[in-house]
Amino acid sequence: MKRIGNLFEKIFSQENLYLAYLDARKGKRKKRACFEFEADLGKNLNSLYNEIHSGNYKPQPYFKFFVYEPKQRMVYGPAFRDIVAQHAIYRIIYSIFNQTFIDTSFACRKGYGTHLASDYTQKALGQCDPGDYTLKLDVRKFFYSIDRAILRKLIERKIKDRRLVDIMMVYAVMDTPVGIPIGNLLSQLYALIYLNPVDHFIKRILKVKRYVRYVDDMVLFGLKRERCLEYKGLIVAFLKGFLNLELSKSTIQTIRKGVNFVGYRTWGSRRFIRKFSLANFRKCLRKEKLQSIISLLGHARRTCSLRYMLLTVRKNSPDFYKKLPIKYRRLCHV
């Protein structure tokens, strides 16, 4: 694999740091940390530049907090200056690694979100024979189980600038022997890099024709049951032997039962949002949370659940229904 060097000066040039600041402030201009950094922009960017080039740069302590959807996770919020530094790295190295990813590796990639992953899932199911099976796999505590030494080796396969790799690994440090912080911009890219070998193992070695991954959830389509059991064993061995990871759970079921993946219950001819999302929708409707309802309707677009949800709003809350965007109200009359 060709390795790329001479990136440090390009990434941490004053011009790229300024462009990284512009990326970092998107959606955050009303935040206090962004305002304070912007208030003395020249001085702060110059200070960041000098610290990095002198070798004295260290990220400031994280702001830590918990989120509880869908399950409890600790999120590490970096200081704004460190967000700028991460954007500077991300702007240059994203394209270098992105070209090594397979086309059906989704999440944290530009244009590769849940809707596209769901589209591919429905298409793959539609191309399978009714008697075929799917194999669905989920990695146990993925972000908290990433081996940082292995991650460094995977990064060094493409980047030979040691100074750059040293700084990149600073954002992977936690107060535990393994794992990377959830909340860093670069953690999203690290997740893609870390499981990329699994994608190539499944596609190149096992030669699975239809396969999709979204972060640490993987689905193999169109297999016989015996092959599912065989491939599961091989993938488990690969994860443990090469990446020091374990499976959390696995599911083998027929194509007729569809797949529960990226927030949708999907079959070859139709898809629905999950029951949890429908329950959340009803709760938001009772409390008349307009923005939450619009967000859930957006999640349900191109599913069979959308029309049902709109009719439910119109039936139970006619006045609230009139507040919905016209593009949704029109669908009730189609």
Side-chain angles (χ1 to χ4, degrees):
M1 183 179 292
K2 182 180 178 181
R3 300 173 71 213
I4 301 173
N6 301 318
L7 291 174
F8 185 90
E9 296 296 337
K10 180 179 181 181
I11 288 173
F12 298 116
S13 66
Q14 291 182 333
E15 178 184 3
N16 194 56
L17 283 172
Y18 175 73
L19 294 174
Y21 150 72
L22 295 179
D23 291 338
R25 77 176 187 178
K26 290 177 181 177
K28 297 184 176 70
R29 299 202 70 181
K30 294 183 180 180
K31 301 287 185 179
R32 180 176 179 177
C34 179
F35 175 80
E36 290 177 348
F37 190 90
E38 197 172 44
D40 203 348
L41 180 60
K43 178 182 177 181
N44 288 324
L45 285 177
N46 193 53
S47 174
L48 183 59
Y49 174 88
N50 289 332
E51 285 183 35
I52 291 172
H53 282 264
S54 66
N56 296 321
Y57 171 75
K58 290 183 179 180
Q60 294 179 358
Y62 291 102
F63 171 68
K64 301 177 184 179
F65 59 95
F66 286 101
V67 295
Y68 298 92
E69 292 185 7
K71 54 189 176 182
Q72 180 175 304
R73 298 177 187 271
M74 177 177 282
V75 176
Y76 292 71
F80 187 79
R81 69 193 292 272
D82 301 321
I83 296 175
V84 172
Q86 290 188 59
H87 271 282
I89 298 170
Y90 189 85
R91 294 187 75 255
I92 305 301
I93 70 166
Y94 172 81
S95 59
I96 294 172
F97 285 99
N98 188 57
Q99 60 188 346
T100 70
F101 303 146
I102 65 172
D103 290 340
T104 55
S105 170
F106 294 89
C108 310
R109 294 176 68 187
K110 298 171 183 176
Y112 282 72
T114 55
H115 290 293
L116 195 61
S118 182
D119 288 344
Y120 175 82
T121 300
Q122 185 171 353
K123 180 181 177 182
L125 287 168
Q127 293 172 341
C128 296
D129 295 331
D132 287 342
Y133 285 77
T134 61
L135 171 60
K136 187 171 183 289
L137 307 170
D138 180 20
V139 177
R140 182 187 303 276
K141 296 182 178 179
F142 173 52
F143 280 92
Y144 300 117
S145 301
I146 290 177
D147 188 312
R148 295 190 286 270
I150 296 174
L151 174 63
R152 183 179 183 110
K153 290 179 181 177
L154 293 173
I155 292 173
E156 288 176 338
R157 285 185 179 183
K158 289 298 293 181
I159 297 177
K160 60 183 178 182
D161 192 327
R162 186 167 184 173
R163 286 192 301 170
L164 173 57
V165 176
D166 287 343
I167 290 183
M168 289 177 65
M169 292 308 299
V170 164
Y171 302 112
V173 173
M174 289 177 65
D175 53 2
T176 55
V178 295
I180 63 174
I182 298 175
N184 277 331
L185 170 68
L186 289 177
S187 291
Q188 302 172 13
L189 182 59
Y190 295 163
L192 286 166
I193 294 170
Y194 202 79
L195 284 182
N196 191 39
V198 181
D199 297 337
H200 288 278
F201 174 73
I202 292 172
K203 294 294 290 184
R204 295 171 181 265
I205 307 302
L206 302 184
K207 298 189 182 301
V208 175
K209 185 176 181 181
R210 301 180 183 92
Y211 162 75
V212 64
R213 178 171 66 83
Y214 192 92
V215 191
D216 60 331
D217 290 332
M218 298 169 272
V219 185
L220 290 69
F221 303 90
L223 305 175
K224 301 304 179 186
R225 180 173 176 79
E226 297 76 16
R227 192 68 78 180
C228 287
L229 293 170
E230 177 189 355
Y231 285 177
K232 176 188 171 183
L234 293 171
I235 293 169
V236 167
F238 184 91
L239 286 170
K240 184 62 178 177
F242 288 88
L243 300 175
N244 200 23
L245 296 175
E246 297 179 353
L247 286 186
S248 169
K249 55 187 175 182
S250 64
T251 305
I252 298 174
Q253 60 186 24
T254 63
I255 294 294
R256 293 188 182 93
K257 291 187 177 181
V259 174
N260 194 340
F261 186 61
V262 293
Y264 300 95
R265 296 170 292 148
T266 305
W267 286 262
S269 59
R270 63 199 184 280
R271 72 184 106 157
F272 303 86
I273 63 173
R274 287 176 175 168
K275 294 179 181 179
F276 171 82
S277 297
L278 276 177
N280 194 26
F281 163 75
R282 297 188 187 99
K283 185 188 299 183
C284 292
L285 181 58
R286 288 195 297 271
K287 296 181 179 180
E288 295 193 347
K289 292 183 176 182
L290 182 61
Q291 292 304 317
S292 297
I293 291 292
I294 292 174
S295 176
L296 286 165
L297 292 175
H299 175 62
R301 68 185 178 93
R302 292 185 291 175
T303 74
C304 297
S305 303
L306 179 60
R307 186 171 174 82
Y308 163 78
M309 294 164 70
L310 289 169
L311 290 173
T312 299
V313 177
R314 188 172 70 174
K315 178 181 177 181
N316 296 314
S317 303
D319 294 335
F320 183 71
Y321 172 78
K322 296 177 183 178
K323 298 178 182 179
L324 296 180
I326 186 67
K327 65 179 180 180
Y328 290 121
R329 284 183 279 142
R330 284 174 178 168
L331 293 175
C332 280
H333 304 286
V334 175

